[in-house]
């Protein structure tokens, strides 16, 4: 964080100081909410959760070097006391980003936020010091904490913004007002909570409504391939840049293909030149993510060549997203168990099909959560797509939704052993351990709550132990 005195912080958040002998002492270290991360110069934010109350760790964090606690009651060590910690944290973030010299880039969308944020960061940091959301910390607490981790040197601050309802993005954009706002797509993630795709578009579009006007330097970066996102152009005063796979977009891709290893390759076109990209990431959905990142980087002054090199070298910074492990026996495990929604399921299945040319392919899939009324149709569609893509074996894992998946596959023409339904992760592991053969490719994917990463982990470990029978 940029250095701020406790007196200034107290004023910014409208708090009372308690047990602070010297209010001119500065917070120089990070602002943390996990007591284990507290160190010299840090400010500890005490949230009172259901299971743990951060205030209980006040003495420990000060012992570890924290300068003070931001909480809702005096704790016997230096503290700034406020009515509401989240509001205070937001106010502090807003104050700090105003003083930063950094350009703020915010992005939202139904699928691919974290992957794209990681790509943007890996491109921009070649040009100048960049701070970005770690993992998926994209809510009203993670976002200000990320913004507060920026320093005087930071030139680019890349922030992922998540929404579970109307008003969420405008709240986040109010805390850390972006200059560049990117909307990736409007899919069906959390559609059950939102109530429908129109509502999702309404909510995601709040990002471009929050941008400064074109004259003030605001830029909206929109996905031309997604009609809901394209339509957001009318909701902003900012300059609009379109990215998309068609040549009509400002930033586009030509000759898109997946290599035999499932990695996308294409010619990147920007308004100032073109350059070839072959990605290290897997799956064609990354083309759209890469174009989005390229549009941001181009807008911030990078050349097509610089962007293409950065995109070609970018790796996966966040775990369990198309994480590919080659077992010594030649089985390839693709762990995409971080999350799942209809769009990402389909993208992952297509990547599996590309990676599995001439090999046996397994799709080990579980439920996609929060789909509301669309749940049955969407699970059915994923089961059918697996068959259409010629995936050799579908293993549907879990309860009712898994049954729908398997039934979709069955109705599309998968008979006998081609698709099976098993009750839980352990049953899937048992089945795969006995059935996998060298050369097979296995995709593992479901919503976070299903916990299928344990299946991927077990498969990777059983390969290391050489337990898998070679038939
Ligand atoms: N552009 C995209 N379209 C569809 N699915 C995507 C896209 N980008 C990533 N995915 C997939 O969506 C899932 C979530 O990716 P992630 O980058 O974590 O998105 P988010 O942060 O929006 O949840 C992963 O399974 C990933 O493979
Ligand atoms: Mg995310």
């Amino acid at each position: 964080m940029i250095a701020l005195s406790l007196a200034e912080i107290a004023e910014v958040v409208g708090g009372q100081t308690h047990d602070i002998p010297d209010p001119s002492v500065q917070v120089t270290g990070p602002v943390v909410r996990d007591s284990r991360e507290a160190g010299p110069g840090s400010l500890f934010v005490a949230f009172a959760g259901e299971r743990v109350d951060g205030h209980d760790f006040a003495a420990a964090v000060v012992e570890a070097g924290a300068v003070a606690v931001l909480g809702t009651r005096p704790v016997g060590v230096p503290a700034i006391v406020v009515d509401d910690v989240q509001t205070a944290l937001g106010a502090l973030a807003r104050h700090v980003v105003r003083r930063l010299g950094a350009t703020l880039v915010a992005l939202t969308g139904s699928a691919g936020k974290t992957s794209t944020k990681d790509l943007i960061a890996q491109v921009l940091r070649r040009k100048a010091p960049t701070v970005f959301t770690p993992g998926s910390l994209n809510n009203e607490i993670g976002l200000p904490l990320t913004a507060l981790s920026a320093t005087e040197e930071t030139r680019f601050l890349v922030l992922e913004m998540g929404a579970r309802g109307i008003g969420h993005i405008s709240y986040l954009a109010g805390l850390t007002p972006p200059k560049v706002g990117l909307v990736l797509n409007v899919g069906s993630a959390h559609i059950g909570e939102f109530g429908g795709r129109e509502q999702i578009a309404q909510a995601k579009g709040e990002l471009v409504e929050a941008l400064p006007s074109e004259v003030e330097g605001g830029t909206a970066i929109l996905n031309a391939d997604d009609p809901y996102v394209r339509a957001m152009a009318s909701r902003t005063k900012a300059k609009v840049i379109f990215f998309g796979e068609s040549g009509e977009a400002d930033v586009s891709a030509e000759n898109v293909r997946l290599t035999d290893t499932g990695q996308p390759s294409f010619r990147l076109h920007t308004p100032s030149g073109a350059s070839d990209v072959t990605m290290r990431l897997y799956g064609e959905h990354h083309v759209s993510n890469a174009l989005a990142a390229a549009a941001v980087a181009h807008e911030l002054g990078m050349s097509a060549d610089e962007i293409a090199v950065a995109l070609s070298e970018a790796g996966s910074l966040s775990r369990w997203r198309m994480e590919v492990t080659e077992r010594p026996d030649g089985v390839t495990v693709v762990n995409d168990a971080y999350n799942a929604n209809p769009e990402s399921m389909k993208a992952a299945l297509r990547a599996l099909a590309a990676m599995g040319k001439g090999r046996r392919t397994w799709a080990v899939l579980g439920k996609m959560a929060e789909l509301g009324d669309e749940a049955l149709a969407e699970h059915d569609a994923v089961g059918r797509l697996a068959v259409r893509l010629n995936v050799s074996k579908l293993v549907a894992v879990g309860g009712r939704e898994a049954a729908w998946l398997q039934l979709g596959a069955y109705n599309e023409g998968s008979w006998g052993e081609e698709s099976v339904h098993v009750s839980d992760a352990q049953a899937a592991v048992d089945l795969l351990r006995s059935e996998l053969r060298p050369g097979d490719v296995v995709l593992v994917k479901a919503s976070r709550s299903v916990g299928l990463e344990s299946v991927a982990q077990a498969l990777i470990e059983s390969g290391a132990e050489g337990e898998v029978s070679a038939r």
Side-chain angles (χ1 to χ4, degrees):
M1 186 169 102
I2 59 174
L4 290 181
S5 71
L6 291 177
E8 186 174 359
I9 295 174
E11 194 189 320
V12 168
V13 302
Q16 303 288 325
T17 54
H18 285 267
D19 308 298
I20 296 181
D22 179 5
S24 71
V25 168
Q26 291 194 320
V27 173
T28 52
V31 179
V32 299
R33 71 174 294 195
D34 182 334
S35 61
R36 289 162 299 187
E37 289 169 11
S42 60
L43 176 69
F44 175 65
V45 190
F47 280 95
E50 273 168 28
R51 280 173 299 126
V52 241
D53 182 353
H55 296 84
D56 296 343
F57 298 89
V61 297
V62 168
E63 179 82 4
V67 179
V69 174
L70 177 63
T72 49
R73 56 183 148 87
V75 278
V77 295
I80 296 169
V81 175
V82 293
D83 292 338
D84 182 68
V85 176
Q86 185 190 311
T87 307
L89 184 64
L92 185 58
R94 189 162 40 224
H95 176 76
V96 165
V97 296
R98 257 195 228 125
R99 293 191 23 184
L100 288 174
T103 299
L104 265 68
V105 177
L107 76 157
T108 192
S110 293
K113 293 181 293 299
T114 296
S115 308
T116 306
K117 175 263 301 172
D118 288 344
L119 280 175
I120 295 172
Q122 288 178 85
V123 178
L124 292 183
R125 73 184 179 193
R126 289 175 174 246
K127 184 174 162 76
T130 301
V131 166
F132 57 104
T133 305
S136 237
L137 295 176
N138 63 19
N139 66 10
E140 58 286 349
I141 296 166
L143 177 95
L145 286 176
T146 304
L148 287 167
S149 71
T151 67
E152 280 87 352
E153 284 77 51
T154 306
R155 292 277 72 87
F156 299 120
L157 182 53
V158 183
L159 298 167
E160 173 175 334
M161 293 186 177
R164 296 189 152 246
I166 301 289
H168 291 187
I169 299 282
S170 41
Y171 174 79
L172 297 176
L175 299 185
T176 55
K179 196 165 161 205
V180 178
L182 157 65
V183 185
L184 292 171
N185 45 48
V186 171
S188 32
H190 310 301
I191 199 164
E193 277 165 66
F194 275 103
R197 215 168 286 246
E198 296 290 345
Q199 283 79 2
I200 298 180
Q202 190 56 37
K204 305 284 180 196
E206 290 169 10
L207 179 58
V208 297
E209 288 174 351
L211 293 171
S213 70
E214 174 160 13
V215 188
E216 294 161 320
T219 306
I221 298 188
L222 298 176
N223 186 350
D225 298 332
D226 183 317
Y228 286 98
V229 178
R230 211 168 47 225
M232 290 176 194
S234 65
R235 292 170 63 185
T236 186
K237 305 184 296 298
K239 173 166 91 177
V240 175
I241 301 280
F242 286 111
F243 68 93
E245 298 203 19
S246 107
E248 283 158 37
D250 302 294
V251 173
S252 64
E254 187 191 8
N255 286 337
V256 178
R257 59 181 201 92
L258 283 185
T259 65
D260 290 346
T261 48
Q263 291 158 307
S265 126
F266 58 94
R267 185 152 180 84
L268 168 70
H269 287 272
T270 75
S272 62
S275 197
D276 292 324
V277 176
T278 301
M279 299 184 79
R280 282 175 54 206
L281 302 179
Y282 296 85
E284 71 181 28
H285 53 297
H286 283 304
V287 175
S288 178
N289 300 344
L291 291 175
V296 171
H298 179 264
E299 186 57 25
L300 297 176
M302 292 179 72
S303 72
D305 284 339
E306 283 174 304
I307 297 168
V309 169
L311 288 174
S312 299
E313 289 176 8
S316 172
L317 300 185
S318 302
R319 299 218 61 193
W320 304 338
R321 290 167 179 82
M322 296 298 279
E323 210 171 277
V324 176
T325 308
E326 300 290 349
R327 285 193 346 192
D329 65 351
V331 168
T332 305
V333 180
V334 184
N335 181 357
D336 200 26
Y338 180 75
N339 220 334
N341 55 58
E343 291 76 29
S344 71
M345 273 289 195
K346 290 168 194 164
L349 282 174
R350 283 193 284 267
L352 173 68
M355 296 168 82
K357 278 199 193 105
R359 303 166 71 180
R360 273 206 322 178
T361 48
W362 294 75
V364 183
L365 308 180
K367 118 171 153 185
M368 302 174 284
E370 299 170 348
L371 291 177
D373 293 343
E374 299 191 9
L376 196 157
E378 294 289 6
H379 286 88
D380 179 77
V382 167
R384 288 175 186 273
L385 182 67
V387 177
R388 269 182 229 156
L389 289 170
N390 246 335
V391 168
S392 324
K393 297 253 188 185
L394 172 69
V395 182
V397 190
R400 192 176 57 160
E401 291 83 355
W404 293 338
L405 265 167
Q406 199 257 332
L407 195 60
Y410 179 80
N411 287 333
E412 191 67 24
S414 121
W415 288 289
E417 309 256 292
E418 279 170 13
S419 67
V420 291
H421 176 205
V422 298
S423 57
D424 58 20
Q426 189 53 50
V429 171
D430 293 343
L431 174 79
L432 289 157
R433 279 199 171 137
S434 66
E435 296 277 329
L436 281 182
R437 290 190 226 133
D440 288 0
V441 191
V442 194
L443 166 72
V444 181
K445 185 168 178 74
S447 269
R448 193 77 275 280
S449 56
V450 186
L452 279 197
E453 69 280 356
S454 67
V455 173
Q457 202 49 44
L459 293 180
I460 292 164
E461 281 161 15
S462 63
E465 292 154 17
E467 266 183 38
V468 173
S469 57
R471 280 191 272 157

